[in-house]
Amino acid sequence: MKNSVFGQAYASFYDLLYADKNYEAECDLIEQAFGRFGLLKVNRLLDLGCGTGNHAWNLARRGYQVIGVDLSEPMLQLARKKKESINLPPGTQPPFFLRANIRDLSLRLQAEAAIAMFAVLGYQTEEAEVKAFLESVARHLRKGGLFLADFWYGPAVEAIKPEPRKKIIPFGQGKLIREAKTELIAASHHCLVCYRLTIDQPSEAFPQEFTETHRMRFFFEEELRAWLPEAGLELVSLSAFGDLDRVADATTWNACMVARKP
């Protein structure tokens, strides 16, 4: 059956699908960016598109006051439920999770930093949506605050081009199979990613299947340099994701940008 993006079915397998993702190293990168580019001590942090909360809980463990925002209630339910199994150090606060559209977000607070991890920015597929997203970030940052986001980098997407992918994960007495087929729509800077998940269990007469289609936008440096100042932000770093010292190029599908509110 078909579901909305990050619906109940996909959300229920999300953490299993990305169990090999190194959230610890990504949070190290976030803190490295704070130390290198930050003008303020980061206490409060917005995790925009927080999903099941893996970055949020990791950063809360490190002492940050984290507010996680996501549009998918099934993902947020999983993020909140982790409170039952995660023990935070004394004196630290659990993240607060909020369901909202980031583009329309209107909190009565500002933070020293905001993050949008795992290509969340790319789910803003139209120019107006990207601008509204960035304007929301700027509204919720203190002057001097940082915004860090990873995204699909246009020169690399066009050079490498997407290929079909398949991931097989042990699940129960069987396996979970995720197949991804991606259509590149270069003219509009979009990729259309169709995920098919199959739960193959010996006890089932027929495998259970469902699909989700994600439309993703990829970005070029020229676009970001034009849109960030319009939103009230300035680009301070554009690098390969995972290495702030490596310049993003046609070989780095995932790029990382750091912007600051002047």
Side-chain angles (χ1 to χ4, degrees), residues 13 16 166-178 197-202 207-208:
F13 293 103
L16 178 62
K166 189 173 185 178
K167 191 171 191 176
I168 302 175
I169 304 169
F171 178 67
Q173 295 181 336
K175 55 192 174 183
L176 172 66
I177 305 167
R178 188 189 69 177
L197 274 73
T198 304
I199 306 153
D200 192 354
Q201 294 278 14
Q208 304 171 39

Side-chain angles (χ1 to χ4, degrees), residues 22-38:
N22 195 336
Y23 288 96
E24 189 81 23
E26 293 186 10
C27 290
D28 289 344
L29 178 74
I30 292 166
E31 291 199 304
Q32 183 185 353
F34 291 169
R36 182 176 299 190
F37 304 112

Side-chain angles (χ1 to χ4, degrees), residues 59-77:
L59 290 164
R61 190 182 295 116
R62 298 179 186 213
Y64 297 98
Q65 300 171 23
V66 184
I67 299 173
V69 182
D70 205 283
L71 192 56
S72 169
E73 184 58 34
M75 298 281 272
L76 288 170
Q77 288 174 1

Side-chain angles (χ1 to χ4, degrees), residues 10 59 83 88 112 118 155 227 253:
Y10 196 91
L59 290 164
K83 186 176 182 179
L88 295 177
E112 291 81 31
F118 216 172
W227 294 339
W253 186 290

Side-chain angles (χ1 to χ4, degrees), residues 208-224:
Q208 304 171 39
E209 294 186 354
F210 62 91
T211 63
E212 277 201 4
T213 298
H214 296 203
R215 181 178 286 271
M216 301 290 297
R217 186 178 184 115
F218 50 90
F219 296 91
F220 293 84
E221 182 176 353
E222 297 80 6
E223 294 175 311
L224 297 173

Side-chain angles (χ1 to χ4, degrees), residues 12 55 63 68 85 98 102 136 145-146 198 217 232 237:
S12 64
H55 291 105
S85 58
L98 170 70
I102 298 162
S136 179
L146 289 184
T198 304
R217 186 178 184 115
S237 173

